[in-house]
Amino acid sequence: MQKLLKLKSRAIPLPVENIDTDQIIPARFLKSIDKKGFGENLFRDWRYDVHTGNKNPDFVLNNPEYSGEILVAGNNFGCGSSREHAAWALTDYGFKVVVSSFFADIFKGNALNNGLLPVKVSEQFLKKILNGITRNPESELAVDVENQTLTFEDATEGFEMDSYKKICLMNGYDDIDFLISRKQAIEAFELKTQKVYEN
């Protein structure tokens, strides 16, 4: 995984509530266990016309005015099934942060396990951000992982984050990488424990 310490980026507004994982990545695209390639089918049924396969010009990801590594979505993002592929699709597309006023717990865990930061903000702040970036697509958001803050225009709001996942994200660790980083401490503990039992 890539490290994420700070990020300043334009954002893509998707003011839709209750976006479930089947909309993020439809079930028919879950045949691969390789994390690569899922971004191509992110929001497939919204990005493309089901009948013609042509891009839907009304969908925000197809609007050239919007770009960035941050997705700002409506309330209750990532609900539905527990598929980890939803996080894979978002990261493979290029998103590093998703902002919402509520995340489904399983999606939140899957996102953090794959280097995608879910930032939960108040409904009022979310509305401010969505209105702002819709009005001005060049607006930028600033995310500070260490201080757990999100800044937009003249406002800053803090967000909660699991301390272990914070360490992993800031260092680019998955769970195995974290254990390897603690190898010396683990070996020292084992040696100390072994001496206790020998005595």
Side-chain angles (χ1 to χ4, degrees):
M1 294 194 315
Q2 291 185 340
K3 295 180 181 180
L4 182 59
L5 301 170
K6 292 184 178 181
L7 176 65
K8 190 172 185 180
S9 171
R10 291 170 61 173
I12 298 177
L14 187 57
V16 180
E17 295 190 353
N18 305 313
I19 296 177
D20 63 47
T21 51
D22 195 53
Q23 293 299 338
I24 297 171
I25 181 72
R28 64 187 182 276
F29 298 111
L30 306 187
K31 298 173 183 176
S32 174
I33 57 171
D34 188 340
K35 296 181 181 182
K36 301 290 184 183
F38 284 96
E40 181 181 342
N41 294 304
L42 177 68
F43 299 117
R44 178 74 190 200
D45 294 337
W46 292 349
R47 284 170 68 193
Y48 298 92
D49 185 282
V50 177
H51 304 292
T52 66
N54 296 327
K55 285 187 177 181
N56 172 9
D58 296 325
F59 187 60
V60 69
L61 292 190
N62 297 327
N63 186 337
E65 290 188 6
Y66 294 102
S67 64
E69 297 174 300
I70 301 174
L71 177 68
V72 183
N75 184 55
N76 195 26
F77 186 84
C79 57
S81 72
S82 60
R83 67 189 65 164
E84 190 173 11
H85 304 73
W88 296 358
L90 288 158
T91 55
D92 190 56
Y93 186 82
F95 288 117
K96 294 182 178 179
V97 175
V98 180
V99 179
S100 177
S101 55
F102 183 80
F103 292 95
D105 286 341
I106 295 176
F107 171 81
K108 187 175 181 179
N110 286 338
L112 288 167
N113 287 339
N114 287 279
L116 178 68
L117 176 62
V119 174
K120 180 183 174 184
V121 297
S122 66
E123 291 185 9
Q124 294 80 6
F125 196 33
L126 180 64
K127 186 175 180 180
K128 175 184 174 68
I129 296 169
L130 284 169
N131 288 339
I133 59 179
T134 300
R135 186 174 59 251
N136 179 12
E138 295 185 2
S139 299
E140 290 186 323
L141 282 75
V143 179
D144 185 328
V145 178
E146 183 175 8
N147 294 305
Q148 296 176 216
T149 58
L150 174 65
T151 301
F152 179 69
E153 295 180 341
D154 58 348
T156 297
E157 191 168 291
F159 59 87
E160 294 182 2
M161 187 176 183
D162 177 85
S163 57
Y164 165 66
K165 289 301 179 185
K166 180 177 177 178
I167 292 170
C168 289
L169 192 63
M170 291 181 66
N171 288 280
Y173 292 159
D174 61 18
D175 290 337
I176 301 301
D177 293 326
F178 177 79
L179 286 175
I180 292 172
S181 76
R182 304 295 294 165
K183 181 181 178 183
Q184 289 185 336
I186 293 169
E187 289 176 343
F189 176 80
E190 288 179 341
L191 184 61
K192 182 179 178 181
T193 304
Q194 184 179 356
K195 287 181 179 179
V196 168
Y197 282 114
E198 285 175 353
N199 295 331

